Amino acid sequence: MASVIEILSPTQVARARDTGALVGDILQSLRERSTVGTNLLEIDQWAKEIMLGAGATSCYVDYAPSFGRGPFGHYICTSVNDGVLHGLPHDYALADGDLLSLDLAVILGGVAADSAISFVVGESRPAESVRLIETTERALATAIATAGPGVKLGDISAAIGGVLTGAGYPVNTEFGGHGIGTTMHQDPHVPNDGRAGRGYKLRPGLMLALEPWVMVDTDELVTDDDGWTLRSATGCRTAHNEHTVVVTEDGVDVLTLPSKR
């Protein structure tokens, strides 16, 4: 059966702007509150309180895809150091110099938005961690600048891959960006490397979650004992940045920027 790619109505896009702003604001708040000694379970509780207080619904609590072990059961992904994706919150207190990635998706008004940030906790600034984060941020900015009506998905993947591989990092294409709309994960898949001029042609009303992520010296993932957290196979550090965007008549709008800037 052919996959169906969802194109949102103007009314749905307007709602998505509210959802995206909420996601951006929650992540900004969590970043400000996460410091040395903060427990990952505290971050999960803060995310829950803010999203439910805003009338939003978590995309994660009941999420049970084939690559996870049962329902996720938490409100945010918290990945630390060699953890890069789907980090299951657990009893861990953040240390100075930890590289923390937070990934959050919620539904508000019937439309989802998804975003991720990576940052170093505390006062330390390990050079490789800073470089990893800056590279994923630059790859994301390049992807956003490339996207627009008539652009092929391969153009976006190639733009992301060019930044990541240009910085000397291997790229895993198993997990990447994706369509998003009335549900969190939809077609099309947007790999973090690819060939320009290939794939689906972007149309106004299409929403995409673009998410460059990278590991220092490997493209191989291993699954943690919790059945969810994906880590670098070599134990190297990782980073992940993501925005939800909507294709417009003349470009794309980034929906998950915080409103409180």
Side-chain angles (χ1 to χ4, degrees):
M1 181 181 296
S3 62
V4 176
I5 293 176
E6 185 176 30
I7 302 297
L8 276 70
S9 69
T11 298
Q12 289 173 311
V13 170
R15 292 174 181 167
R17 295 183 189 280
D18 292 335
T19 314
L22 176 62
V23 169
D25 287 344
I26 293 174
L27 287 176
Q28 178 174 265
S29 174
L30 297 180
R31 177 172 186 158
E32 291 170 353
R33 296 172 73 175
S34 298
T35 186
V36 175
T38 298
N39 194 292
L40 299 183
L41 294 175
E42 289 183 282
I43 297 174
D44 186 54
Q45 182 63 29
W46 295 337
K48 175 183 177 180
E49 291 171 355
I50 301 172
M51 77 171 67
L52 296 185
T57 302
S58 170
C59 292
Y60 293 163
V61 171
D62 298 322
Y63 189 50
S66 59
F67 55 78
R69 183 188 297 163
F72 188 74
H74 290 270
Y75 291 80
I76 191 168
C77 296
T78 55
S79 303
V80 182
N81 295 334
D82 61 328
V84 65
L85 299 173
H86 314 151
L88 193 72
H90 59 283
D91 184 12
Y92 174 78
L94 293 167
D96 187 54
D98 275 348
L99 197 167
L100 175 63
S101 297
L102 300 177
D103 190 354
L104 178 70
V106 308
I107 293 178
L108 182 68
V111 186
D114 189 1
S115 184
I117 57 174
S118 289
F119 56 96
V120 178
V121 176
E123 299 300 320
S124 296
R125 288 292 177 268
E128 187 59 75
S129 295
V130 172
R131 183 170 183 265
L132 272 172
I133 294 167
E134 290 177 345
T135 300
T136 55
E137 290 174 341
R138 186 158 46 90
L140 180 54
T142 301
I144 292 168
T146 300
V151 172
K152 297 288 187 72
L153 281 176
D155 298 332
I156 298 174
S157 294
I160 294 171
V163 173
L164 299 182
T165 59
Y169 296 123
V171 178
N172 174 297
T173 55
E174 180 183 4
F175 293 95
H178 51 88
I180 184 171
T182 53
T183 57
M184 172 177 59
H185 279 154
Q186 300 182 353
D187 290 326
H189 175 56
V190 189
N192 284 327
D193 199 7
R195 295 180 62 182
R198 301 288 187 93
Y200 180 80
K201 184 182 291 186
L202 275 57
R203 297 168 49 193
L206 174 70
M207 277 176 36
L208 295 172
L210 305 176
E211 50 181 312
W213 60 274
V214 77
M215 303 177 280
V216 171
D217 59 16
T218 183
D219 62 1
E220 184 179 351
L221 293 165
V222 293
T223 304
D224 209 351
D225 291 342
D226 63 22
W228 276 99
T229 305
L230 295 177
R231 299 185 181 277
S232 60
T234 61
C236 68
R237 288 204 166 188
T238 67
H240 176 205
N241 274 281
E242 174 182 18
H243 273 310
T244 293
V245 304
V246 62
V247 182
T248 66
E249 295 291 342
D250 56 2
V252 295
D253 288 344
V254 182
L255 302 181
T256 44
L257 293 170
S259 63
K260 307 166 185 174
R261 285 179 292 163

